[in-house]
Short mmCIF file of all heavy atoms in Angstrom, two decimals:
data_model
loop_
_atom_site.label_atom_id
_atom_site.label_comp_id
_atom_site.label_asym_id
_atom_site.label_seq_id
_atom_site.Cartn_x
_atom_site.Cartn_y
_atom_site.Cartn_z
N LEU A 1 36.60 -21.94 -53.07
CA LEU A 1 36.24 -22.16 -51.67
C LEU A 1 35.33 -21.05 -51.16
O LEU A 1 34.39 -21.32 -50.40
CB LEU A 1 37.51 -22.25 -50.82
CG LEU A 1 38.34 -23.52 -51.02
CD1 LEU A 1 39.74 -23.34 -50.45
CD2 LEU A 1 37.66 -24.73 -50.38
N ALA A 2 35.61 -19.82 -51.55
CA ALA A 2 34.76 -18.71 -51.11
C ALA A 2 33.33 -18.89 -51.62
O ALA A 2 32.36 -18.68 -50.88
CB ALA A 2 35.34 -17.38 -51.59
N LEU A 3 33.18 -19.28 -52.87
CA LEU A 3 31.85 -19.48 -53.44
C LEU A 3 31.15 -20.68 -52.79
O LEU A 3 29.92 -20.72 -52.72
CB LEU A 3 31.94 -19.67 -54.95
CG LEU A 3 32.37 -18.44 -55.74
CD1 LEU A 3 32.56 -18.77 -57.21
CD2 LEU A 3 31.35 -17.30 -55.58
N ALA A 4 31.92 -21.64 -52.32
CA ALA A 4 31.35 -22.78 -51.62
C ALA A 4 31.10 -22.48 -50.14
O ALA A 4 30.53 -23.31 -49.43
CB ALA A 4 32.28 -23.99 -51.74
N GLY A 5 31.51 -21.30 -49.68
CA GLY A 5 31.30 -20.92 -48.29
C GLY A 5 32.19 -21.66 -47.31
O GLY A 5 31.75 -22.06 -46.23
N VAL A 6 33.45 -21.84 -47.68
CA VAL A 6 34.40 -22.56 -46.81
C VAL A 6 35.44 -21.57 -46.29
O VAL A 6 36.31 -21.11 -47.04
CB VAL A 6 35.11 -23.69 -47.58
CG1 VAL A 6 36.04 -24.46 -46.64
CG2 VAL A 6 34.10 -24.63 -48.22
N PRO A 7 35.40 -21.21 -45.01
CA PRO A 7 36.43 -20.34 -44.44
C PRO A 7 37.80 -20.98 -44.58
O PRO A 7 37.95 -22.20 -44.48
CB PRO A 7 36.03 -20.21 -42.97
CG PRO A 7 34.57 -20.53 -42.94
CD PRO A 7 34.37 -21.57 -44.01
N MET A 8 38.80 -20.14 -44.80
CA MET A 8 40.12 -20.69 -45.14
C MET A 8 41.26 -19.83 -44.59
O MET A 8 41.06 -18.64 -44.30
CB MET A 8 40.26 -20.80 -46.66
CG MET A 8 40.44 -19.47 -47.36
SD MET A 8 40.17 -19.49 -49.16
CE MET A 8 38.39 -19.17 -49.20
N ALA A 9 42.41 -20.45 -44.49
CA ALA A 9 43.67 -19.73 -44.30
C ALA A 9 44.51 -20.00 -45.54
O ALA A 9 44.53 -21.13 -46.04
CB ALA A 9 44.39 -20.21 -43.05
N VAL A 10 45.18 -18.97 -46.04
CA VAL A 10 45.90 -19.06 -47.31
C VAL A 10 47.39 -18.85 -47.06
O VAL A 10 47.78 -17.96 -46.28
CB VAL A 10 45.38 -18.02 -48.32
CG1 VAL A 10 46.21 -18.03 -49.59
CG2 VAL A 10 43.92 -18.29 -48.64
N ALA A 11 48.20 -19.66 -47.71
CA ALA A 11 49.65 -19.50 -47.59
C ALA A 11 50.29 -19.58 -48.97
O ALA A 11 49.71 -20.14 -49.91
CB ALA A 11 50.23 -20.59 -46.69
N TYR A 12 51.48 -19.01 -49.07
CA TYR A 12 52.22 -19.13 -50.33
C TYR A 12 53.68 -18.83 -50.07
O TYR A 12 54.03 -17.90 -49.33
CB TYR A 12 51.68 -18.17 -51.39
CG TYR A 12 52.04 -18.60 -52.79
CD1 TYR A 12 51.40 -19.68 -53.39
CD2 TYR A 12 53.04 -17.96 -53.51
CE1 TYR A 12 51.73 -20.10 -54.67
CE2 TYR A 12 53.38 -18.37 -54.79
CZ TYR A 12 52.72 -19.44 -55.37
OH TYR A 12 53.05 -19.85 -56.63
N LYS A 13 54.54 -19.65 -50.68
CA LYS A 13 55.98 -19.41 -50.62
C LYS A 13 56.56 -19.65 -52.00
O LYS A 13 56.14 -20.57 -52.71
CB LYS A 13 56.65 -20.35 -49.60
CG LYS A 13 56.21 -20.13 -48.16
CD LYS A 13 57.03 -20.96 -47.19
CE LYS A 13 58.36 -20.29 -46.90
NZ LYS A 13 59.06 -20.91 -45.75
N VAL A 14 57.51 -18.83 -52.37
CA VAL A 14 58.24 -19.02 -53.62
C VAL A 14 59.71 -19.20 -53.29
O VAL A 14 60.13 -19.07 -52.14
CB VAL A 14 58.03 -17.81 -54.58
CG1 VAL A 14 56.58 -17.70 -54.99
CG2 VAL A 14 58.53 -16.52 -53.95
N SER A 15 60.49 -19.49 -54.31
CA SER A 15 61.93 -19.68 -54.10
C SER A 15 62.57 -18.38 -53.64
O SER A 15 62.01 -17.29 -53.80
CB SER A 15 62.59 -20.15 -55.39
OG SER A 15 62.56 -19.11 -56.35
N ARG A 16 63.76 -18.49 -53.10
CA ARG A 16 64.46 -17.30 -52.61
C ARG A 16 64.70 -16.29 -53.74
O ARG A 16 64.52 -15.09 -53.57
CB ARG A 16 65.80 -17.71 -51.99
CG ARG A 16 66.56 -16.56 -51.35
CD ARG A 16 67.78 -17.06 -50.60
NE ARG A 16 68.47 -15.96 -49.94
CZ ARG A 16 68.13 -15.46 -48.77
NH1 ARG A 16 67.10 -15.97 -48.12
NH2 ARG A 16 68.80 -14.47 -48.22
N ALA A 17 65.06 -16.80 -54.92
CA ALA A 17 65.30 -15.90 -56.06
C ALA A 17 64.02 -15.16 -56.44
O ALA A 17 64.03 -13.95 -56.68
CB ALA A 17 65.84 -16.69 -57.24
N GLU A 18 62.90 -15.90 -56.50
CA GLU A 18 61.63 -15.26 -56.86
C GLU A 18 61.18 -14.26 -55.81
O GLU A 18 60.57 -13.25 -56.12
CB GLU A 18 60.55 -16.33 -57.06
CG GLU A 18 60.75 -17.20 -58.28
CD GLU A 18 59.80 -18.38 -58.31
OE1 GLU A 18 59.73 -19.11 -57.30
OE2 GLU A 18 59.12 -18.55 -59.33
N SER A 19 61.49 -14.54 -54.54
CA SER A 19 61.05 -13.64 -53.48
C SER A 19 61.70 -12.27 -53.57
O SER A 19 61.16 -11.28 -53.06
CB SER A 19 61.36 -14.26 -52.10
OG SER A 19 62.76 -14.25 -51.84
N LEU A 20 62.85 -12.20 -54.24
CA LEU A 20 63.51 -10.90 -54.39
C LEU A 20 62.73 -9.96 -55.30
O LEU A 20 62.98 -8.76 -55.31
CB LEU A 20 64.93 -11.12 -54.96
CG LEU A 20 65.87 -11.95 -54.09
CD1 LEU A 20 67.20 -12.15 -54.81
CD2 LEU A 20 66.10 -11.28 -52.73
N LEU A 21 61.77 -10.50 -56.06
CA LEU A 21 60.96 -9.68 -56.96
C LEU A 21 59.68 -9.19 -56.31
O LEU A 21 58.85 -8.57 -56.96
CB LEU A 21 60.61 -10.49 -58.22
CG LEU A 21 61.80 -10.99 -59.04
CD1 LEU A 21 61.30 -11.86 -60.18
CD2 LEU A 21 62.61 -9.81 -59.58
N ARG A 22 59.50 -9.44 -55.01
CA ARG A 22 58.24 -9.08 -54.35
C ARG A 22 57.94 -7.59 -54.43
O ARG A 22 56.80 -7.17 -54.44
CB ARG A 22 58.27 -9.51 -52.88
CG ARG A 22 57.94 -10.97 -52.67
CD ARG A 22 57.89 -11.31 -51.19
NE ARG A 22 59.20 -11.18 -50.57
CZ ARG A 22 59.42 -11.29 -49.26
NH1 ARG A 22 58.41 -11.51 -48.45
NH2 ARG A 22 60.63 -11.19 -48.77
N PHE A 23 58.98 -6.77 -54.48
CA PHE A 23 58.76 -5.33 -54.51
C PHE A 23 58.05 -4.90 -55.79
O PHE A 23 57.52 -3.78 -55.87
CB PHE A 23 60.09 -4.58 -54.36
CG PHE A 23 60.99 -4.68 -55.56
CD1 PHE A 23 60.97 -3.70 -56.56
CD2 PHE A 23 61.85 -5.75 -55.72
CE1 PHE A 23 61.80 -3.81 -57.66
CE2 PHE A 23 62.68 -5.85 -56.82
CZ PHE A 23 62.65 -4.88 -57.79
N LEU A 24 58.01 -5.77 -56.81
CA LEU A 24 57.34 -5.43 -58.06
C LEU A 24 55.85 -5.69 -58.01
O LEU A 24 55.11 -5.24 -58.88
CB LEU A 24 57.96 -6.23 -59.22
CG LEU A 24 59.43 -5.93 -59.54
CD1 LEU A 24 59.92 -6.89 -60.62
CD2 LEU A 24 59.62 -4.49 -59.99
N VAL A 25 55.38 -6.44 -57.02
CA VAL A 25 53.96 -6.76 -56.90
C VAL A 25 53.23 -5.56 -56.34
O VAL A 25 53.62 -4.99 -55.32
CB VAL A 25 53.75 -8.00 -56.02
CG1 VAL A 25 52.28 -8.29 -55.84
CG2 VAL A 25 54.46 -9.20 -56.63
N LYS A 26 52.12 -5.16 -57.01
CA LYS A 26 51.48 -3.89 -56.72
C LYS A 26 50.15 -4.02 -55.98
O LYS A 26 49.36 -3.08 -55.95
CB LYS A 26 51.23 -3.14 -58.03
CG LYS A 26 52.48 -2.91 -58.87
CD LYS A 26 53.49 -2.03 -58.16
CE LYS A 26 54.70 -1.75 -59.04
NZ LYS A 26 55.72 -0.93 -58.37
N VAL A 27 49.85 -5.17 -55.38
CA VAL A 27 48.58 -5.33 -54.68
C VAL A 27 48.83 -5.66 -53.21
O VAL A 27 49.88 -6.19 -52.84
CB VAL A 27 47.72 -6.44 -55.32
CG1 VAL A 27 47.16 -5.99 -56.64
CG2 VAL A 27 48.52 -7.73 -55.50
#
């Protein structure tokens, strides 16, 4: 979408169990 020049809003949700691992994400 960025290369096509389309402004966007981005969302993402994971399961409750997966969300407990968020502290491991480094970005």
Side-chain angles (χ1 to χ4, degrees):
L1 289 164
L3 292 174
V6 183
M8 73 196 89
V10 175
Y12 201 74
K13 296 187 81 168
V14 296
S15 68
R16 185 172 182 83
E18 290 171 308
S19 71
L20 298 177
L21 300 175
R22 279 184 294 174
F23 71 94
L24 296 175
V25 177
K26 304 297 183 182
V27 287

